[in-house]
Amino acid sequence: MFETLGSLTASPWIYVVVAVSVVLDVFLPVLPSGVLVITAAAAAAAAGAAGPVGVPAQVPDILALLVIATTSSVLGDMAAFRLARRGGARLDRAIARSRRLTRAHDRLGTALARGGGALVVIARFAPAGRSVVSLGAGKTHRKVMEFLPWSVLAGMAWAGYSVALGYFGTQWLGAAWLGTAVSVVALFAAGAPAAFVIRRPVPTAAASAA
């Protein structure tokens, strides 16, 4: 797998693969979009450290990678948002069966109604959190301008964190494979507290008054 990724990062196709993976993982959270972004950033750092000699003809550009990852994240969010907003009996049943989706709907609706969408940013780092929040925002019929700015901020935060992990991790550790491995662990470590936040029960009015 890593050999395949290594050859892919030397090709401009890495941008296409990253974009498609990031867009689709809102619907298929098992896709390793974060790993792809980190691997591409690590390859760029390793190639830069090697100097002009031996640098592949095509090397992932950090700025381009950051823009593509951020844009793809927002596009995927909005696709899920629009799908859930249109609704449908099948989607309604799927959401009703999911305690996590139902809980996220309650929390997200409350947060956006109060003018704050930090939950959207936090959920971007949680496993499947992006899916839950994007579908939840659409299902509760939030306005686009209530959700979109927070989606953009979430995409920038996630992409910036992932690219920084891969790039600086490789520069500090001196080996692309080691930088990638450590960075992936750090990415998943950030997901643990994010998952805890979005899974917390919504306080009831009585509890809030107390």
Side-chain angles (χ1 to χ4, degrees):
M1 175 180 176
F2 283 105
E3 290 181 0
T4 303
L5 286 176
S7 61
L8 184 61
T9 55
S11 163
W13 282 103
I14 185 61
Y15 299 121
V16 177
V17 174
V18 166
V20 172
S21 178
V22 174
V23 168
L24 293 182
D25 80 356
V26 70
F27 302 104
L28 300 170
V30 295
L31 290 178
S33 59
V35 176
L36 283 172
V37 173
I38 287 174
T39 302
V53 179
V55 177
Q58 299 290 341
V59 176
D61 179 80
I62 288 299
L63 181 58
L65 185 62
L66 183 61
V67 171
I68 288 170
T70 300
T71 304
S72 301
S73 179
V74 176
L75 289 176
D77 287 355
M78 295 309 298
F81 174 84
R82 290 291 188 184
L83 177 65
R85 190 178 177 86
R86 291 180 180 179
R90 182 176 298 180
L91 180 62
D92 291 343
R93 289 194 296 269
I95 291 175
R97 289 195 299 266
S98 173
R99 293 173 57 189
R100 183 162 64 170
L101 278 173
T102 302
R103 188 182 303 123
H105 288 172
D106 295 337
R107 290 184 59 78
L108 183 63
T110 301
L112 292 177
R114 293 175 178 173
L119 183 65
V120 178
V121 180
I122 294 172
R124 186 63 184 85
F125 293 85
R130 175 190 179 200
S131 305
V132 170
V133 165
S134 298
L135 291 171
K139 187 57 186 173
T140 52
H141 295 280
R142 312 312 307 183
K143 295 179 180 178
V144 171
M145 291 312 298
E146 285 182 323
F147 178 69
L148 180 58
W150 292 103
S151 173
V152 173
L153 183 58
M156 292 175 61
W158 174 82
Y161 182 67
S162 301
V163 168
L165 281 178
Y167 188 80
F168 294 112
T170 297
Q171 285 194 329
W172 291 336
L173 296 173
W177 70 268
L178 182 58
T180 300
V182 172
S183 298
V184 169
V185 171
L187 182 64
F188 283 110
F196 173 77
V197 170
I198 66 173
R199 289 175 182 172
R200 284 188 306 170
V202 183
T204 62
S208 299

